[in-house]
Amino acid sequence: MLVLFETAAGYAIFKVLDEKKLQQVDSLWKEFETPEKANKMSSFLCAAATALVEGKLSKNLKKVLKKIVAKEAHEQLAIHDAKLGGVIKEKLNLTCVHSPAVAELMRGIRNQMEGLITGLPPREFSAMSLGLAHSLSRYKLKFSPDKVDTMIVQAISLLDDLDKELNNYIMRSREWYGWHFPELGKIITDNLAYCKSVRKIGDRTNVVNTDLSDILPEEVEAEVKLAAEISMGTEVSEQDIRNILHLCDQVIEISEYRAQLYDYLKNRMMAIAPNLTVMVGELVGARLISHAGSLLNLAKHPASTVQILGAEKALFRALKTRRDTPKYGLIYHASLVGQTTAKNKGKISRMLAAKTSLAVRYDALGEDTNAEMGAENRAKLEARLRHLEERGIRRISGAGKALARADKYQHKSDIKVYDPSGDSTLPSASKKRKFEEVEDEEKPVEVKLKKVKKEPEEAETPKKKKKKKEKQEAEEERIVKEEEEEEMEILSAAAEVRTGIWRVALGCTGKGSFNLNFYIHWLYCLKGSK
């Protein structure tokens, strides 16, 4: 049996001298304890050529195997890779063996490699192994400087960090310089222009002699100079001004670097993922790639995952509480989703995620670098968006495709008449009658352009008049009774008051002697009450 063994220097072919020992797999390792035992087990035939990757038969290995087939065609070839064995059997008609015993044999040969292959120092063999590892890694990764999405991940992360730091620096500079010149912050709203103006002005007393025309418009410059003369800020030292100006320099430098980094990110996105950039933009596309880890990982995600990518916390919270799941994640910041109404954002985000998923797969796995597919899909989405926006103002009945027409405006004026029934607190009619009158008032009055002849109202029947008269009489009797009861209550209250005065005049509470002074006082009170 022959053994095809892979090394960093190439292929080596060994011949098994004692095939009976291969049947004892568990004790096979004992035959490779020393180089002498390994030489008795196998012998080196010839050195094969360069490394073989992915089970393909190289030219040098093919030549070597043809020589072996010519000499020892009856021998079996033990291999480690079953895929390579299939190729060799197909091309050279050589019987290949792949079994656990062969794997154990390969492990023993690898352990005694230095003793079996002479003329190869261990140091050189280590260098060969390292070089082969690097070459194989580059080949498997298909390394291309133009297709490195790691740069995009790092660039978008740095861009977000710069935005945070820039906001902190600008806030600190506005607050710091605001103690000296507070009016400037309200006049100049742009952050970069504010820092440049502060850098050029310094102390506010220098505003009169400072030319800000290259930074600010003329009217804003005049307003700044006027505000500097009547400013309410405090005086600061030169050292404070120097530190504030240094902070403004930092803000200006970071802003310029951020603009440069954004241009770099835009160019890299157009080179690596042009279709994705056309669909959702540079920043959203870069954030999707960064969130997924790489462009290839993003291409493996389905459209439903791309749609909610970035909203994982909200998704799991909704699943836990059994509520509605989120409709969009990072894709919400795309221009197509932002320009739609709130009612159609969910539909557009779902359609955009489907087209974006196709664009990402085309960019990651396709060989073309144009953005034609992305532009075509974006045009379809924009047409669909216009259709959704216009569908809301179409007629439901009639011609379905016809747009709704506004009716001709007609001025409808209702003359309101004062209702005197609210002035009286006494009920003049029954509840049923009132309810009928309210319903009659709530009915809309139709205004017609044509003159309509007024029809005479029907006279009320005598029965209705009689019932109405009886109801009015009953109501009047009830009102009279209520008034009499109120008078009786008033008289009883007055009697109780007089009784109290009599007891006070007598100066007793049930028992006691007669008091003349209290009696005279009572007479005067009684006379006054009469």
Side-chain angles (χ1 to χ4, degrees), residues 441-464:
E441 289 177 0
E442 288 179 355
K443 289 182 180 178
V445 181
E446 296 181 359
V447 179
K448 297 183 179 179
L449 297 177
K450 295 183 180 180
K451 294 182 179 180
V452 182
K453 294 182 179 180
K454 295 183 179 179
E455 296 179 0
E457 297 179 356
E458 294 179 1
E460 294 181 350
T461 59
K463 291 183 178 180
K464 289 184 178 180

mmCIF file of all heavy atoms in Angstrom, residues 441-464:
data_model
loop_
_atom_site.group_PDB
_atom_site.id
_atom_site.type_symbol
_atom_site.label_atom_id
_atom_site.label_comp_id
_atom_site.label_asym_id
_atom_site.label_seq_id
_atom_site.Cartn_x
_atom_site.Cartn_y
_atom_site.Cartn_z
ATOM 1 N N GLU A 441 -84.401 70.337 16.036
ATOM 2 C CA GLU A 441 -83.366 71.359 15.873
ATOM 3 C C GLU A 441 -82.068 70.766 15.340
ATOM 4 O O GLU A 441 -81.339 71.420 14.605
ATOM 5 C CB GLU A 441 -83.097 72.028 17.218
ATOM 6 C CG GLU A 441 -84.225 72.927 17.673
ATOM 7 C CD GLU A 441 -83.944 73.512 19.049
ATOM 8 O OE1 GLU A 441 -82.871 73.194 19.603
ATOM 9 O OE2 GLU A 441 -84.781 74.260 19.540
ATOM 10 N N GLU A 442 -81.761 69.508 15.702
ATOM 11 C CA GLU A 442 -80.509 68.895 15.254
ATOM 12 C C GLU A 442 -80.530 68.471 13.800
ATOM 13 O O GLU A 442 -79.491 68.227 13.210
ATOM 14 C CB GLU A 442 -80.190 67.670 16.114
ATOM 15 C CG GLU A 442 -79.753 68.033 17.522
ATOM 16 C CD GLU A 442 -79.471 66.803 18.341
ATOM 17 O OE1 GLU A 442 -79.715 65.689 17.824
ATOM 18 O OE2 GLU A 442 -78.997 66.952 19.469
ATOM 19 N N LYS A 443 -81.680 68.372 13.201
ATOM 20 C CA LYS A 443 -81.740 67.985 11.788
ATOM 21 C C LYS A 443 -81.145 69.095 10.933
ATOM 22 O O LYS A 443 -81.467 70.274 11.101
ATOM 23 C CB LYS A 443 -83.190 67.726 11.376
ATOM 24 C CG LYS A 443 -83.762 66.448 11.974
ATOM 25 C CD LYS A 443 -85.179 66.219 11.504
ATOM 26 C CE LYS A 443 -85.738 64.929 12.109
ATOM 27 N NZ LYS A 443 -87.123 64.708 11.707
ATOM 28 N N PRO A 444 -80.199 68.754 9.994
ATOM 29 C CA PRO A 444 -79.575 69.798 9.162
ATOM 30 C C PRO A 444 -80.582 70.421 8.208
ATOM 31 O O PRO A 444 -81.453 69.769 7.660
ATOM 32 C CB PRO A 444 -78.495 69.026 8.392
ATOM 33 C CG PRO A 444 -78.984 67.627 8.381
ATOM 34 C CD PRO A 444 -79.724 67.422 9.669
ATOM 35 N N VAL A 445 -80.446 71.705 8.031
ATOM 36 C CA VAL A 445 -81.331 72.452 7.136
ATOM 37 C C VAL A 445 -80.711 72.469 5.756
ATOM 38 O O VAL A 445 -79.579 72.939 5.578
ATOM 39 C CB VAL A 445 -81.535 73.893 7.651
ATOM 40 C CG1 VAL A 445 -82.472 74.647 6.720
ATOM 41 C CG2 VAL A 445 -82.110 73.857 9.066
ATOM 42 N N GLU A 446 -81.366 71.907 4.800
ATOM 43 C CA GLU A 446 -80.872 71.851 3.439
ATOM 44 C C GLU A 446 -81.169 73.159 2.721
ATOM 45 O O GLU A 446 -82.317 73.646 2.705
ATOM 46 C CB GLU A 446 -81.517 70.691 2.671
ATOM 47 C CG GLU A 446 -81.157 69.329 3.247
ATOM 48 C CD GLU A 446 -81.778 68.213 2.464
ATOM 49 O OE1 GLU A 446 -82.494 68.531 1.489
ATOM 50 O OE2 GLU A 446 -81.545 67.054 2.813
ATOM 51 N N VAL A 447 -80.110 73.716 2.153
ATOM 52 C CA VAL A 447 -80.262 74.979 1.433
ATOM 53 C C VAL A 447 -80.391 74.676 -0.037
ATOM 54 O O VAL A 447 -79.502 74.035 -0.631
ATOM 55 C CB VAL A 447 -79.050 75.894 1.696
ATOM 56 C CG1 VAL A 447 -79.211 77.181 0.927
ATOM 57 C CG2 VAL A 447 -78.928 76.149 3.184
ATOM 58 N N LYS A 448 -81.453 75.067 -0.653
ATOM 59 C CA LYS A 448 -81.687 74.847 -2.081
ATOM 60 C C LYS A 448 -81.664 76.172 -2.804
ATOM 61 O O LYS A 448 -82.139 77.202 -2.311
ATOM 62 C CB LYS A 448 -83.029 74.140 -2.313
ATOM 63 C CG LYS A 448 -83.086 72.742 -1.691
ATOM 64 C CD LYS A 448 -84.390 72.068 -1.995
ATOM 65 C CE LYS A 448 -84.436 70.670 -1.386
ATOM 66 N NZ LYS A 448 -85.714 70.003 -1.661
ATOM 67 N N LEU A 449 -81.079 76.122 -3.998
ATOM 68 C CA LEU A 449 -80.981 77.343 -4.791
ATOM 69 C C LEU A 449 -82.340 77.747 -5.345
ATOM 70 O O LEU A 449 -82.648 78.930 -5.483
ATOM 71 C CB LEU A 449 -79.972 77.130 -5.910
ATOM 72 C CG LEU A 449 -78.534 76.849 -5.442
ATOM 73 C CD1 LEU A 449 -77.646 76.581 -6.635
ATOM 74 C CD2 LEU A 449 -78.018 77.993 -4.616
ATOM 75 N N LYS A 450 -83.173 76.777 -5.692
ATOM 76 C CA LYS A 450 -84.484 77.073 -6.265
ATOM 77 C C LYS A 450 -85.461 77.453 -5.152
ATOM 78 O O LYS A 450 -85.376 77.003 -4.039
ATOM 79 C CB LYS A 450 -85.021 75.849 -7.004
ATOM 80 C CG LYS A 450 -84.185 75.485 -8.218
ATOM 81 C CD LYS A 450 -84.793 74.314 -8.945
ATOM 82 C CE LYS A 450 -83.968 73.951 -10.158
ATOM 83 N NZ LYS A 450 -84.547 72.806 -10.889
ATOM 84 N N LYS A 451 -86.422 78.308 -5.512
ATOM 85 C CA LYS A 451 -87.438 78.735 -4.560
ATOM 86 C C LYS A 451 -88.435 77.610 -4.344
ATOM 87 O O LYS A 451 -88.936 77.030 -5.306
ATOM 88 C CB LYS A 451 -88.161 79.983 -5.057
ATOM 89 C CG LYS A 451 -87.255 81.214 -5.125
ATOM 90 C CD LYS A 451 -88.022 82.423 -5.573
ATOM 91 C CE LYS A 451 -87.125 83.663 -5.618
ATOM 92 N NZ LYS A 451 -87.878 84.862 -6.054
ATOM 93 N N VAL A 452 -88.726 77.366 -3.097
ATOM 94 C CA VAL A 452 -89.673 76.302 -2.748
ATOM 95 C C VAL A 452 -90.883 76.935 -2.096
ATOM 96 O O VAL A 452 -90.748 77.782 -1.195
ATOM 97 C CB VAL A 452 -89.027 75.284 -1.792
ATOM 98 C CG1 VAL A 452 -90.008 74.162 -1.484
ATOM 99 C CG2 VAL A 452 -87.760 74.722 -2.425
ATOM 100 N N LYS A 453 -92.054 76.570 -2.548
ATOM 101 C CA LYS A 453 -93.289 77.116 -1.981
ATOM 102 C C LYS A 453 -93.488 76.544 -0.584
ATOM 103 O O LYS A 453 -93.361 75.358 -0.353
ATOM 104 C CB LYS A 453 -94.478 76.751 -2.858
ATOM 105 C CG LYS A 453 -94.429 77.415 -4.226
ATOM 106 C CD LYS A 453 -95.665 77.046 -5.019
ATOM 107 C CE LYS A 453 -95.633 77.728 -6.382
ATOM 108 N NZ LYS A 453 -96.829 77.384 -7.175
ATOM 109 N N LYS A 454 -93.841 77.454 0.347
ATOM 110 C CA LYS A 454 -94.067 77.028 1.724
ATOM 111 C C LYS A 454 -95.451 76.420 1.859
ATOM 112 O O LYS A 454 -96.444 77.015 1.448
ATOM 113 C CB LYS A 454 -93.933 78.212 2.679
ATOM 114 C CG LYS A 454 -92.532 78.789 2.728
ATOM 115 C CD LYS A 454 -92.450 79.903 3.728
ATOM 116 C CE LYS A 454 -91.046 80.464 3.792
ATOM 117 N NZ LYS A 454 -90.960 81.578 4.769
ATOM 118 N N GLU A 455 -95.513 75.253 2.446
ATOM 119 C CA GLU A 455 -96.788 74.572 2.676
ATOM 120 C C GLU A 455 -97.368 74.999 4.011
ATOM 121 O O GLU A 455 -96.637 75.133 5.011
ATOM 122 C CB GLU A 455 -96.588 73.061 2.669
ATOM 123 C CG GLU A 455 -96.112 72.526 1.327
ATOM 124 C CD GLU A 455 -95.899 71.034 1.347
ATOM 125 O OE1 GLU A 455 -96.139 70.444 2.433
ATOM 126 O OE2 GLU A 455 -95.514 70.479 0.320
ATOM 127 N N PRO A 456 -98.687 75.246 4.093
ATOM 128 C CA PRO A 456 -99.298 75.664 5.382
ATOM 129 C C PRO A 456 -99.217 74.534 6.393
ATOM 130 O O PRO A 456 -99.385 73.362 6.064
ATOM 131 C CB PRO A 456 -100.743 75.974 5.005
ATOM 132 C CG PRO A 456 -100.989 75.194 3.756
ATOM 133 C CD PRO A 456 -99.693 75.160 3.023
ATOM 134 N N GLU A 457 -98.901 74.911 7.633
ATOM 135 C CA GLU A 457 -98.784 73.905 8.680
ATOM 136 C C GLU A 457 -100.161 73.357 9.045
ATOM 137 O O GLU A 457 -101.170 74.069 9.031
ATOM 138 C CB GLU A 457 -98.144 74.511 9.929
ATOM 139 C CG GLU A 457 -96.728 74.994 9.704
ATOM 140 C CD GLU A 457 -96.126 75.599 10.943
ATOM 141 O OE1 GLU A 457 -96.870 75.703 11.950
ATOM 142 O OE2 GLU A 457 -94.949 75.950 10.892
ATOM 143 N N GLU A 458 -100.214 72.094 9.320
ATOM 144 C CA GLU A 458 -101.478 71.441 9.668
ATOM 145 C C GLU A 458 -101.948 71.896 11.053
ATOM 146 O O GLU A 458 -101.149 72.039 11.986
ATOM 147 C CB GLU A 458 -101.291 69.931 9.670
ATOM 148 C CG GLU A 458 -100.984 69.366 8.291
ATOM 149 C CD GLU A 458 -100.789 67.865 8.323
ATOM 150 O OE1 GLU A 458 -100.925 67.284 9.428
ATOM 151 O OE2 GLU A 458 -100.527 67.296 7.263
ATOM 152 N N ALA A 459 -103.234 72.149 11.134
ATOM 153 C CA ALA A 459 -103.812 72.595 12.418
ATOM 154 C C ALA A 459 -103.821 71.444 13.401
ATOM 155 O O ALA A 459 -104.031 70.284 13.036
ATOM 156 C CB ALA A 459 -105.239 73.119 12.203
ATOM 157 N N GLU A 460 -103.583 71.784 14.649
ATOM 158 C CA GLU A 460 -103.581 70.741 15.675
ATOM 159 C C GLU A 460 -105.013 70.256 15.924
ATOM 160 O O GLU A 460 -105.981 71.011 15.904
ATOM 161 C CB GLU A 460 -102.991 71.286 16.969
ATOM 162 C CG GLU A 460 -101.519 71.626 16.847
ATOM 163 C CD GLU A 460 -100.958 72.140 18.147
ATOM 164 O OE1 GLU A 460 -101.762 72.400 19.081
ATOM 165 O OE2 GLU A 460 -99.747 72.271 18.237
ATOM 166 N N THR A 461 -105.168 69.014 16.194
ATOM 167 C CA THR A 461 -106.483 68.406 16.459
ATOM 168 C C THR A 461 -106.989 68.823 17.825
ATOM 169 O O THR A 461 -106.190 69.157 18.722
ATOM 170 C CB THR A 461 -106.371 66.886 16.376
ATOM 171 O OG1 THR A 461 -105.413 66.453 17.340
ATOM 172 C CG2 THR A 461 -105.908 66.446 14.990
ATOM 173 N N PRO A 462 -108.331 68.819 18.019
ATOM 174 C CA PRO A 462 -108.873 69.215 19.339
ATOM 175 C C PRO A 462 -108.423 68.304 20.470
ATOM 176 O O PRO A 462 -108.269 68.747 21.606
ATOM 177 C CB PRO A 462 -110.388 69.128 19.140
ATOM 178 C CG PRO A 462 -110.629 68.893 17.698
ATOM 179 C CD PRO A 462 -109.368 68.573 17.030
ATOM 180 N N LYS A 463 -108.197 67.015 20.168
ATOM 181 C CA LYS A 463 -107.762 66.103 21.219
ATOM 182 C C LYS A 463 -106.395 66.496 21.759
ATOM 183 O O LYS A 463 -106.158 66.482 22.966
ATOM 184 C CB LYS A 463 -107.718 64.667 20.677
ATOM 185 C CG LYS A 463 -109.105 64.098 20.384
ATOM 186 C CD LYS A 463 -108.979 62.655 19.927
ATOM 187 C CE LYS A 463 -110.364 62.042 19.665
ATOM 188 N NZ LYS A 463 -110.256 60.635 19.230
ATOM 189 N N LYS A 464 -105.507 66.858 20.859
ATOM 190 C CA LYS A 464 -104.172 67.257 21.299
ATOM 191 C C LYS A 464 -104.242 68.526 22.129
ATOM 192 O O LYS A 464 -103.531 68.690 23.131
ATOM 193 C CB LYS A 464 -103.260 67.461 20.092
ATOM 194 C CG LYS A 464 -102.878 66.169 19.396
ATOM 195 C CD LYS A 464 -101.894 66.429 18.285
ATOM 196 C CE LYS A 464 -101.475 65.135 17.611
ATOM 197 N NZ LYS A 464 -100.512 65.360 16.517
#
